Amino acid sequence: MQIATPYYLIDEQKLLRNLQIIEQVRELSGAKSVLALKCFSTWCVFDLMRQYMDGTTSSSLFEARLGAEKFGKETHAYCVGYSQQDIADIAQFADKIIFNSVSQLDRYYDTVKSAKLGLRANPGISYSGFDLADPARKHSRLGVVDKAALARQIPRLSGLMFHYNCENDDFETFSAQLDTIGENYGDMLKALQWVSLGGGLYFTKEGYPVEKFCQKLADFSREHQVQVYLEPGESAITGCAELVTSVVDIVHNETDIAIVDASVEGHMLDLLIYRLSAKVETGANGQYAYMVAGRSCLAGDIFGTYQFNDRLEVGSEIRFADAAGYTMVKKNWFNGLQMPTIAVRRLDGTVEVVRKFDYQDFASNLS
């Protein structure tokens, strides 16, 4: 099928590879996995994902509602700061309501005390290559730091959430972290039913010691008598999608610059925020160097510089990998640029266009 660029293409076969590892973790460790919608909420593939995952977790009312309506199964609701209306709405469908602070728990406890409640703990440890994404950074507002204050809330709770990793692919570091959690919070966990270890654990990475990971989770669950939850985002969808673009112009300013019909600012914003280059399959021996840039007015709208096997020309196709996690959820209408179509290559190989965007979508985005 010929699809006009730009478009996001999700490949269910590649997605399935991650999901099967998630299922393996569940079978070997007993840990349940709920999809982190803040990372990926493109619900056209939820029919496949729900076969391998236990539900969803959220960062807002709208994400929680989307999880309940489009994914089903368990719906975990978390937010850094709920409003009164948020709580009134979430209480109607969430299986677990997790608060970020003791003050929020106090404020809304009488409203939701019949539900399964959780509280986010900040253990003061983390794994992140980016200060921007470090939950334990100085003056972090994410979770309860005071262990004594946390312990006083245990009678009100059914579980605790710890989210302290970002792209952690180091099993030994994870293992040491989990030991620290057990040492510092073990007495509290024994009085609870469940614990979430959050997301940011890259256990679907090629070569990751999955069996050792599962054994560690199983031992932790057995020792503290709690149901362990994981909140995979990137681990669930890494490597499964790409942003397909076409070159619309080539200019020269000391180097050759290929301008494509998409934008880092609008369509891969996570790269701009973290100052990363997009991933492109160009071959091992490319001899033609091009800076690839987006067509927004932002001077720094640059995907990266790459070596291509062939010269680029207007109409050449460039595919940017890993365009799912923290990418599609951040797409925006900056400059009014054409929003990429969303397409899915299903398990049987057929390609389905699930959403096209037009001027009316742009016009209705604001008012």
Side-chain angles (χ1 to χ4, degrees):
M1 177 185 292
Q2 188 66 35
I3 306 172
T5 58
Y7 63 93
Y8 298 105
L9 178 63
I10 304 170
D11 189 318
E12 287 193 331
Q13 282 288 353
K14 294 178 180 178
L15 175 61
L16 181 61
R17 180 251 176 206
N18 298 326
L19 296 174
Q20 289 173 334
I21 295 175
I22 289 173
E23 182 181 49
Q24 179 187 10
V25 169
R26 191 181 197 280
E27 291 176 349
L28 294 180
S29 72
K32 296 183 178 182
S33 286
V34 288
L35 174 65
L37 295 175
K38 65 181 179 180
C39 174
F40 183 77
S41 56
T42 309
W43 49 271
C44 57
V45 291
F46 281 3
D47 283 348
L48 174 63
M49 300 185 80
R50 75 165 57 90
Q51 298 176 46
Y52 298 87
M53 302 187 73
D54 297 281
T56 56
T57 187
S58 59
S59 298
S60 67
L61 166 62
F62 286 174
E63 280 189 352
R65 179 176 172 180
L66 183 77
E69 293 181 355
K70 300 298 185 181
F71 200 102
K73 304 182 82 169
E74 291 192 42
T75 300
H76 295 197
Y78 165 77
C79 184
V80 172
Y82 294 109
S83 70
Q84 183 71 54
Q85 189 59 56
D86 290 340
I87 288 296
D89 292 341
I90 282 174
Q92 298 179 46
F93 57 78
D95 296 295
K96 292 180 175 65
I97 301 175
I98 303 167
F99 292 94
N100 183 67
S101 67
V102 172
S103 55
Q104 283 247 306
L105 175 62
D106 283 342
R107 183 172 297 114
Y108 300 122
Y109 179 73
D110 287 341
T111 303
V112 295
K113 60 185 177 183
S114 61
K116 291 184 178 180
L117 304 182
L119 195 56
R120 179 172 181 170
N122 186 329
I125 57 173
S126 61
Y127 184 104
S128 175
F130 306 98
D131 181 65
L132 186 65
D134 185 351
R137 62 187 292 184
K138 187 176 182 179
H139 305 310
S140 175
R141 73 202 191 287
L142 302 175
V144 180
V145 176
D146 187 335
K147 283 177 55 182
L150 185 66
R152 288 193 292 271
Q153 304 306 316
I154 295 302
R156 292 172 155 184
L157 307 175
S158 66
L160 291 177
M161 180 180 81
F162 297 87
H163 179 38
Y164 51 97
N165 283 288
C166 176
E167 297 185 2
N168 186 352
D169 61 358
D170 185 331
F171 170 73
E172 297 303 329
T173 298
F174 163 75
S175 180
Q177 288 176 334
L178 197 58
D179 289 343
T180 298
I181 296 295
E183 292 166 6
N184 293 338
Y185 298 90
D187 290 344
M188 298 185 209
L189 294 178
K190 287 181 173 64
L192 298 170
Q193 300 169 16
W194 57 270
V195 60
S196 173
L197 300 179
L201 298 171
Y202 198 180
F203 60 87
T204 57
K205 183 178 181 179
E206 193 72 37
Y208 191 87
V210 175
E211 292 188 3
K212 290 173 66 177
F213 178 66
C214 291
Q215 187 63 58
K216 189 71 179 182
L217 293 173
D219 291 345
F220 184 86
S221 175
R222 181 169 52 254
E223 179 180 356
H224 301 292
Q225 293 299 299
V226 285
Q227 172 64 58
V228 172
Y229 283 90
L230 303 174
E231 300 181 2
E234 286 275 13
S235 287
I237 49 75
T238 188
C240 80
E242 55 190 356
L243 174 62
V244 185
T245 69
S246 295
V247 175
V248 294
D249 195 15
I250 296 177
V251 299
H252 186 86
N253 183 0
E254 298 184 3
T255 188
D256 288 326
I257 305 170
I259 300 173
V260 298
D261 56 359
S263 163
V264 182
E265 170 87 358
H267 310 137
M268 299 191 84
L269 183 60
D270 53 312
L271 299 180
L272 195 64
I273 292 172
Y274 291 102
R275 300 179 182 273
L276 300 172
S277 294
K279 301 174 185 176
V280 178
E281 294 289 339
T282 59
N285 301 306
Q287 57 180 313
Y288 301 103
Y290 290 87
M291 176 187 291
V292 180
R295 59 173 172 173
S296 81
C297 69
L298 183 71
D301 191 349
I302 299 168
F303 288 92
T305 298
Y306 311 95
Q307 300 289 134
F308 293 89
N309 289 332
D310 301 302
R311 291 190 184 277
L312 297 179
E313 58 187 30
V314 172
S316 294
E317 188 178 89
I318 299 178
R319 293 172 172 251
F320 300 104
D322 266 344
Y326 293 103
T327 303
M328 298 178 76
V329 293
K330 294 189 177 186
K331 61 186 174 60
N332 61 77
W333 285 103
F334 180 64
N335 273 191
L337 296 178
Q338 177 62 47
M339 184 67 68
T341 293
I342 299 175
V344 181
R345 181 179 288 115
R346 299 296 184 184
L347 291 178
D348 63 5
T350 60
V351 176
E352 176 187 355
V353 174
V354 296
R355 180 70 191 274
K356 290 183 177 181
F357 301 89
D358 57 23
Y359 168 74
Q360 291 303 324
D361 294 303
F362 166 66
S364 62
N365 187 56
L366 294 175
S367 58

